[in-house]
């Protein structure tokens, strides 16, 4: 089946630094990728939807300048958490879909801890 | 064997029917999530469970920790319930990394 990878799987960084998380579709072309975040012991929250070659669409309340999303190719999307702070510590998950948008494939997630 | 198994993979039913989707897992968990995805859309979180039962409208989710099994029920199903339903668990053994089920595609016919 279709595989989506995320890198890194976990990262610890100092407050004020920026962290980039990669989401790759390994064996298919992902025209759409979604980014989610999950706070500890809470449910998932959709952050943004990105289509290859165009700007991401952010959900209400998600800071565009804080969470930079790039979907430059059909197999790679990146999420950059800029000037990270401890409150950004969370689990970030991506998913990818093809033209058949009724099927999404999920990455394993990236756990970010900001000290 | 997948660590999170959902059944059935596909389900087609008539409007009004009672729907059950099952999820079994083999790892230690801190919580189990039921999520819904409509075609073309992102995921909506329906429930997060660590024990017992939760109800929201026509949706009911149960979990049996000892049996490592959860069910999602839909009463009086409606065509707008047509979606993919996904089970995911917080894996205690892997820094609470999410493990996802493959999803159940539900179609409710009028």
């Amino acid at each position: 089946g279709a595989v989506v990878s995320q890198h890194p799987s976990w990262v610890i960084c100092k407050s004020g630094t920026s962290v980039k998380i990669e989401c790759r579709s390994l064996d298919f072309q992902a025209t759409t990728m979604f980014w989610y975040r999950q706070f500890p012991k809470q449910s998932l929250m959709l952050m943004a939807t990105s289509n290859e070659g165009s700007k991401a669409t952010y959900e209400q309340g998600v800071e565009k300048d804080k969470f930079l999303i790039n979907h430059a190719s059909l197999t790679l999307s990146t999420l950059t958490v800029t000037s990270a702070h401890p409150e950004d510590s969370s689990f970030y998950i991506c998913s990818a879909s093809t033209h058949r948008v009724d099927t999404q494939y999920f990455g394993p997630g990236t756990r970010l801890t900001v000290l | 064997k997948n660590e999170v198994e959902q059944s059935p993979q596909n389900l087609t039913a008539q409007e009004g029917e009672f729907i059950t989707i099952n999820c079994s897992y083999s790892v230690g968990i801190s919580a189990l999530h039921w999520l819904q995805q409509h075609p073309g859309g992102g995921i909506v979180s329906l429930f997060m469970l660590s024990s017992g039962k939760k109800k929201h409208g026509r949706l009911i989710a149960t979990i049996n920790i000892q049996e490592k099994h959860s069910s999602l029920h839909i009463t009086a199903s409606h065509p707008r319930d047509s979606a993919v339903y996904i089970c995911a668990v917080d894996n205690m053994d892997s820094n609470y990394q999410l493990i996802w089920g493959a999803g159940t595609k539900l179609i409710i016919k009028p």
Side-chain angles (χ1 to χ4, degrees), chain A residues 47-69:
Chain A
M47 299 175 66
T49 303
S50 74
N51 292 295
E52 185 266 338
S54 60
K55 289 185 178 180
T57 302
Y58 289 81
E59 296 298 302
Q60 192 172 9
V62 178
E63 299 175 61
K64 300 177 183 181
D65 296 330
K66 175 80 174 171
F67 300 100
L68 301 178
I69 291 172

PDB file of all heavy atoms in Angstrom, chain A residues 47-69:
ATOM      1  N   MET A  47      -4.354  21.653  10.718  1.00  0.00           N
ATOM      2  CA  MET A  47      -3.679  22.942  10.675  1.00  0.00           C
ATOM      3  C   MET A  47      -3.828  23.590   9.303  1.00  0.00           C
ATOM      4  O   MET A  47      -4.147  24.768   9.189  1.00  0.00           O
ATOM      5  CB  MET A  47      -2.198  22.776  10.994  1.00  0.00           C
ATOM      6  CG  MET A  47      -1.915  22.222  12.370  1.00  0.00           C
ATOM      7  SD  MET A  47      -0.157  21.931  12.596  1.00  0.00           S
ATOM      8  CE  MET A  47       0.494  23.587  12.547  1.00  0.00           C
ATOM      9  N   ALA A  48      -3.559  22.794   8.268  1.00  0.00           N
ATOM     10  CA  ALA A  48      -3.544  23.370   6.932  1.00  0.00           C
ATOM     11  C   ALA A  48      -3.639  22.281   5.885  1.00  0.00           C
ATOM     12  O   ALA A  48      -3.329  21.116   6.142  1.00  0.00           O
ATOM     13  CB  ALA A  48      -2.269  24.178   6.726  1.00  0.00           C
ATOM     14  N   THR A  49      -4.066  22.702   4.720  1.00  0.00           N
ATOM     15  CA  THR A  49      -4.147  21.829   3.556  1.00  0.00           C
ATOM     16  C   THR A  49      -3.268  22.431   2.470  1.00  0.00           C
ATOM     17  O   THR A  49      -3.362  23.632   2.198  1.00  0.00           O
ATOM     18  CB  THR A  49      -5.591  21.744   3.042  1.00  0.00           C
ATOM     19  OG1 THR A  49      -6.431  21.280   4.102  1.00  0.00           O
ATOM     20  CG2 THR A  49      -5.692  20.793   1.856  1.00  0.00           C
ATOM     21  N   SER A  50      -2.427  21.612   1.870  1.00  0.00           N
ATOM     22  CA  SER A  50      -1.575  22.148   0.815  1.00  0.00           C
ATOM     23  C   SER A  50      -1.707  21.328  -0.450  1.00  0.00           C
ATOM     24  O   SER A  50      -1.759  20.103  -0.409  1.00  0.00           O
ATOM     25  CB  SER A  50      -0.118  22.193   1.272  1.00  0.00           C
ATOM     26  OG  SER A  50       0.467  20.907   1.297  1.00  0.00           O
ATOM     27  N   ASN A  51      -1.791  22.029  -1.548  1.00  0.00           N
ATOM     28  CA  ASN A  51      -1.801  21.409  -2.862  1.00  0.00           C
ATOM     29  C   ASN A  51      -0.490  21.722  -3.552  1.00  0.00           C
ATOM     30  O   ASN A  51       0.033  22.832  -3.436  1.00  0.00           O
ATOM     31  CB  ASN A  51      -2.972  21.929  -3.689  1.00  0.00           C
ATOM     32  CG  ASN A  51      -4.296  21.464  -3.127  1.00  0.00           C
ATOM     33  OD1 ASN A  51      -4.593  20.281  -3.110  1.00  0.00           O
ATOM     34  ND2 ASN A  51      -5.089  22.399  -2.653  1.00  0.00           N
ATOM     35  N   GLU A  52       0.024  20.748  -4.260  1.00  0.00           N
ATOM     36  CA  GLU A  52       1.323  20.891  -4.902  1.00  0.00           C
ATOM     37  C   GLU A  52       1.361  22.126  -5.778  1.00  0.00           C
ATOM     38  O   GLU A  52       0.478  22.330  -6.606  1.00  0.00           O
ATOM     39  CB  GLU A  52       1.647  19.621  -5.706  1.00  0.00           C
ATOM     40  CG  GLU A  52       3.021  19.602  -6.318  1.00  0.00           C
ATOM     41  CD  GLU A  52       3.029  20.110  -7.748  1.00  0.00           C
ATOM     42  OE1 GLU A  52       1.968  20.087  -8.394  1.00  0.00           O
ATOM     43  OE2 GLU A  52       4.101  20.508  -8.227  1.00  0.00           O
ATOM     44  N   GLY A  53       2.378  22.933  -5.547  1.00  0.00           N
ATOM     45  CA  GLY A  53       2.593  24.106  -6.379  1.00  0.00           C
ATOM     46  C   GLY A  53       1.796  25.335  -6.006  1.00  0.00           C
ATOM     47  O   GLY A  53       1.926  26.370  -6.646  1.00  0.00           O
ATOM     48  N   SER A  54       0.981  25.245  -4.985  1.00  0.00           N
ATOM     49  CA  SER A  54       0.219  26.428  -4.590  1.00  0.00           C
ATOM     50  C   SER A  54       0.361  26.664  -3.090  1.00  0.00           C
ATOM     51  O   SER A  54       0.862  25.808  -2.362  1.00  0.00           O
ATOM     52  CB  SER A  54      -1.259  26.276  -4.972  1.00  0.00           C
ATOM     53  OG  SER A  54      -1.814  25.146  -4.338  1.00  0.00           O
ATOM     54  N   LYS A  55      -0.101  27.817  -2.659  1.00  0.00           N
ATOM     55  CA  LYS A  55       0.016  28.161  -1.242  1.00  0.00           C
ATOM     56  C   LYS A  55      -0.923  27.305  -0.404  1.00  0.00           C
ATOM     57  O   LYS A  55      -2.002  26.928  -0.838  1.00  0.00           O
ATOM     58  CB  LYS A  55      -0.321  29.637  -1.038  1.00  0.00           C
ATOM     59  CG  LYS A  55       0.731  30.586  -1.582  1.00  0.00           C
ATOM     60  CD  LYS A  55       0.381  32.030  -1.243  1.00  0.00           C
ATOM     61  CE  LYS A  55       1.448  32.983  -1.751  1.00  0.00           C
ATOM     62  NZ  LYS A  55       1.118  34.396  -1.429  1.00  0.00           N
ATOM     63  N   ALA A  56      -0.498  27.051   0.816  1.00  0.00           N
ATOM     64  CA  ALA A  56      -1.319  26.249   1.712  1.00  0.00           C
ATOM     65  C   ALA A  56      -2.531  27.044   2.192  1.00  0.00           C
ATOM     66  O   ALA A  56      -2.483  28.273   2.297  1.00  0.00           O
ATOM     67  CB  ALA A  56      -0.488  25.794   2.912  1.00  0.00           C
ATOM     68  N   THR A  57      -3.581  26.314   2.472  1.00  0.00           N
ATOM     69  CA  THR A  57      -4.779  26.907   3.065  1.00  0.00           C
ATOM     70  C   THR A  57      -4.783  26.579   4.547  1.00  0.00           C
ATOM     71  O   THR A  57      -4.838  25.408   4.928  1.00  0.00           O
ATOM     72  CB  THR A  57      -6.052  26.340   2.408  1.00  0.00           C
ATOM     73  OG1 THR A  57      -6.006  26.599   1.015  1.00  0.00           O
ATOM     74  CG2 THR A  57      -7.292  26.987   3.019  1.00  0.00           C
ATOM     75  N   TYR A  58      -4.729  27.621   5.367  1.00  0.00           N
ATOM     76  CA  TYR A  58      -4.621  27.417   6.805  1.00  0.00           C
ATOM     77  C   TYR A  58      -5.995  27.459   7.462  1.00  0.00           C
ATOM     78  O   TYR A  58      -6.870  28.216   7.053  1.00  0.00           O
ATOM     79  CB  TYR A  58      -3.735  28.494   7.428  1.00  0.00           C
ATOM     80  CG  TYR A  58      -2.273  28.347   7.072  1.00  0.00           C
ATOM     81  CD1 TYR A  58      -1.780  28.807   5.852  1.00  0.00           C
ATOM     82  CD2 TYR A  58      -1.387  27.756   7.962  1.00  0.00           C
ATOM     83  CE1 TYR A  58      -0.448  28.655   5.524  1.00  0.00           C
ATOM     84  CE2 TYR A  58      -0.042  27.618   7.646  1.00  0.00           C
ATOM     85  CZ  TYR A  58       0.416  28.063   6.426  1.00  0.00           C
ATOM     86  OH  TYR A  58       1.742  27.913   6.112  1.00  0.00           O
ATOM     87  N   GLU A  59      -6.146  26.653   8.497  1.00  0.00           N
ATOM     88  CA  GLU A  59      -7.382  26.685   9.281  1.00  0.00           C
ATOM     89  C   GLU A  59      -7.384  27.934  10.164  1.00  0.00           C
ATOM     90  O   GLU A  59      -6.336  28.504  10.486  1.00  0.00           O
ATOM     91  CB  GLU A  59      -7.497  25.431  10.131  1.00  0.00           C
ATOM     92  CG  GLU A  59      -7.620  24.154   9.319  1.00  0.00           C
ATOM     93  CD  GLU A  59      -8.862  24.123   8.451  1.00  0.00           C
ATOM     94  OE1 GLU A  59      -9.974  24.242   9.000  1.00  0.00           O
ATOM     95  OE2 GLU A  59      -8.724  23.990   7.214  1.00  0.00           O
ATOM     96  N   GLN A  60      -8.576  28.302  10.541  1.00  0.00           N
ATOM     97  CA  GLN A  60      -8.715  29.488  11.382  1.00  0.00           C
ATOM     98  C   GLN A  60      -7.951  29.291  12.685  1.00  0.00           C
ATOM     99  O   GLN A  60      -8.023  28.235  13.314  1.00  0.00           O
ATOM    100  CB  GLN A  60     -10.208  29.725  11.679  1.00  0.00           C
ATOM    101  CG  GLN A  60     -10.504  31.068  12.293  1.00  0.00           C
ATOM    102  CD  GLN A  60     -12.006  31.328  12.395  1.00  0.00           C
ATOM    103  OE1 GLN A  60     -12.814  30.433  12.158  1.00  0.00           O
ATOM    104  NE2 GLN A  60     -12.367  32.538  12.734  1.00  0.00           N
ATOM    105  N   GLY A  61      -7.225  30.323  13.064  1.00  0.00           N
ATOM    106  CA  GLY A  61      -6.484  30.268  14.315  1.00  0.00           C
ATOM    107  C   GLY A  61      -5.066  29.755  14.179  1.00  0.00           C
ATOM    108  O   GLY A  61      -4.297  29.805  15.151  1.00  0.00           O
ATOM    109  N   VAL A  62      -4.697  29.272  13.006  1.00  0.00           N
ATOM    110  CA  VAL A  62      -3.331  28.786  12.784  1.00  0.00           C
ATOM    111  C   VAL A  62      -2.509  29.907  12.159  1.00  0.00           C
ATOM    112  O   VAL A  62      -2.894  30.468  11.126  1.00  0.00           O
ATOM    113  CB  VAL A  62      -3.320  27.551  11.873  1.00  0.00           C
ATOM    114  CG1 VAL A  62      -1.889  27.080  11.619  1.00  0.00           C
ATOM    115  CG2 VAL A  62      -4.152  26.430  12.488  1.00  0.00           C
ATOM    116  N   GLU A  63      -1.402  30.242  12.778  1.00  0.00           N
ATOM    117  CA  GLU A  63      -0.588  31.361  12.294  1.00  0.00           C
ATOM    118  C   GLU A  63       0.241  30.958  11.079  1.00  0.00           C
ATOM    119  O   GLU A  63       1.106  30.093  11.160  1.00  0.00           O
ATOM    120  CB  GLU A  63       0.357  31.824  13.408  1.00  0.00           C
ATOM    121  CG  GLU A  63      -0.340  32.327  14.656  1.00  0.00           C
ATOM    122  CD  GLU A  63       0.680  32.649  15.739  1.00  0.00           C
ATOM    123  OE1 GLU A  63       1.536  33.532  15.496  1.00  0.00           O
ATOM    124  OE2 GLU A  63       0.644  32.024  16.806  1.00  0.00           O
ATOM    125  N   LYS A  64       0.001  31.619   9.964  1.00  0.00           N
ATOM    126  CA  LYS A  64       0.710  31.302   8.732  1.00  0.00           C
ATOM    127  C   LYS A  64       2.200  31.583   8.837  1.00  0.00           C
ATOM    128  O   LYS A  64       3.031  30.864   8.281  1.00  0.00           O
ATOM    129  CB  LYS A  64       0.143  32.128   7.571  1.00  0.00           C
ATOM    130  CG  LYS A  64      -1.320  31.900   7.301  1.00  0.00           C
ATOM    131  CD  LYS A  64      -1.814  32.804   6.178  1.00  0.00           C
ATOM    132  CE  LYS A  64      -3.307  32.621   5.967  1.00  0.00           C
ATOM    133  NZ  LYS A  64      -3.818  33.458   4.871  1.00  0.00           N
ATOM    134  N   ASP A  65       2.540  32.647   9.524  1.00  0.00           N
ATOM    135  CA  ASP A  65       3.961  33.015   9.613  1.00  0.00           C
ATOM    136  C   ASP A  65       4.700  32.152  10.619  1.00  0.00           C
ATOM    137  O   ASP A  65       5.925  32.101  10.613  1.00  0.00           O
ATOM    138  CB  ASP A  65       4.091  34.493  10.011  1.00  0.00           C
ATOM    139  CG  ASP A  65       3.505  35.413   8.957  1.00  0.00           C
ATOM    140  OD1 ASP A  65       3.542  35.024   7.764  1.00  0.00           O
ATOM    141  OD2 ASP A  65       3.013  36.493   9.315  1.00  0.00           O
ATOM    142  N   LYS A  66       3.969  31.508  11.457  1.00  0.00           N
ATOM    143  CA  LYS A  66       4.560  30.643  12.477  1.00  0.00           C
ATOM    144  C   LYS A  66       4.798  29.240  11.934  1.00  0.00           C
ATOM    145  O   LYS A  66       5.821  28.629  12.185  1.00  0.00           O
ATOM    146  CB  LYS A  66       3.590  30.570  13.666  1.00  0.00           C
ATOM    147  CG  LYS A  66       3.970  29.623  14.771  1.00  0.00           C
ATOM    148  CD  LYS A  66       4.979  30.245  15.652  1.00  0.00           C
ATOM    149  CE  LYS A  66       5.264  29.382  16.843  1.00  0.00           C
ATOM    150  NZ  LYS A  66       6.407  29.911  17.597  1.00  0.00           N
ATOM    151  N   PHE A  67       3.843  28.772  11.177  1.00  0.00           N
ATOM    152  CA  PHE A  67       3.894  27.420  10.629  1.00  0.00           C
ATOM    153  C   PHE A  67       3.945  27.524   9.102  1.00  0.00           C
ATOM    154  O   PHE A  67       2.919  27.639   8.444  1.00  0.00           O
ATOM    155  CB  PHE A  67       2.677  26.609  11.086  1.00  0.00           C
ATOM    156  CG  PHE A  67       2.567  26.458  12.573  1.00  0.00           C
ATOM    157  CD1 PHE A  67       1.706  27.269  13.302  1.00  0.00           C
ATOM    158  CD2 PHE A  67       3.334  25.519  13.248  1.00  0.00           C
ATOM    159  CE1 PHE A  67       1.603  27.138  14.682  1.00  0.00           C
ATOM    160  CE2 PHE A  67       3.230  25.373  14.629  1.00  0.00           C
ATOM    161  CZ  PHE A  67       2.368  26.192  15.349  1.00  0.00           C
ATOM    162  N   LEU A  68       5.166  27.484   8.595  1.00  0.00           N
ATOM    163  CA  LEU A  68       5.367  27.640   7.156  1.00  0.00           C
ATOM    164  C   LEU A  68       5.263  26.284   6.468  1.00  0.00           C
ATOM    165  O   LEU A  68       5.957  25.349   6.831  1.00  0.00           O
ATOM    166  CB  LEU A  68       6.743  28.259   6.888  1.00  0.00           C
ATOM    167  CG  LEU A  68       6.989  29.639   7.515  1.00  0.00           C
ATOM    168  CD1 LEU A  68       8.403  30.102   7.212  1.00  0.00           C
ATOM    169  CD2 LEU A  68       5.976  30.649   7.014  1.00  0.00           C
ATOM    170  N   ILE A  69       4.395  26.223   5.487  1.00  0.00           N
ATOM    171  CA  ILE A  69       4.197  24.967   4.772  1.00  0.00           C
ATOM    172  C   ILE A  69       4.600  25.159   3.323  1.00  0.00           C
ATOM    173  O   ILE A  69       4.192  26.116   2.668  1.00  0.00           O
ATOM    174  CB  ILE A  69       2.735  24.506   4.875  1.00  0.00           C
ATOM    175  CG1 ILE A  69       2.435  24.091   6.318  1.00  0.00           C
ATOM    176  CG2 ILE A  69       2.450  23.348   3.913  1.00  0.00           C
ATOM    177  CD1 ILE A  69       0.992  23.791   6.587  1.00  0.00           C
TER     178      ILE A  69
END
